[in-house]
Amino acid sequence: ALAAAAALASAPARADDAVLDLYLVRHGQTDWNLEKRLQGATDNPLNDTGRAQAAELAQRLAGVRFTHVYSSG
């Protein structure tokens, strides 16, 4: 599964109107999620829903320029 991630992105702006965009992303769905099982440090594969979620996220974030990415995994 994809690790939970937090990513920071900021667009070039003047100092007086600078904006910080913060993106928080959680891993996509796995079968263990549906079974309410704890996953811990296991690397369970995404199920069909999880793969669709990852593909949708990729489309939504296309073109976003990230300056920093932080991940738990």
Side-chain angles (χ1 to χ4, degrees):
L2 299 175
L8 299 177
S10 60
R14 294 189 326 260
D16 58 343
D17 61 33
V19 175
L20 171 70
D21 293 319
L22 178 65
Y23 295 84
L24 301 176
V25 179
R26 190 171 186 270
H27 62 78
Q29 186 182 82
T30 68
D31 289 336
W32 279 28
N33 293 134
L34 293 176
E35 297 168 8
K36 308 257 189 259
R37 294 175 65 180
L38 293 177
Q39 297 182 88
T42 59
D43 191 17
N44 295 312
L46 298 175
N47 60 20
D48 289 340
T49 299
R51 285 188 292 278
Q53 291 167 337
E56 180 182 345
L57 180 64
Q59 289 179 355
R60 294 177 86 173
L61 295 179
V64 175
R65 291 187 48 169
F66 292 97
T67 57
H68 295 82
V69 175
Y70 301 95
S71 172
S72 65

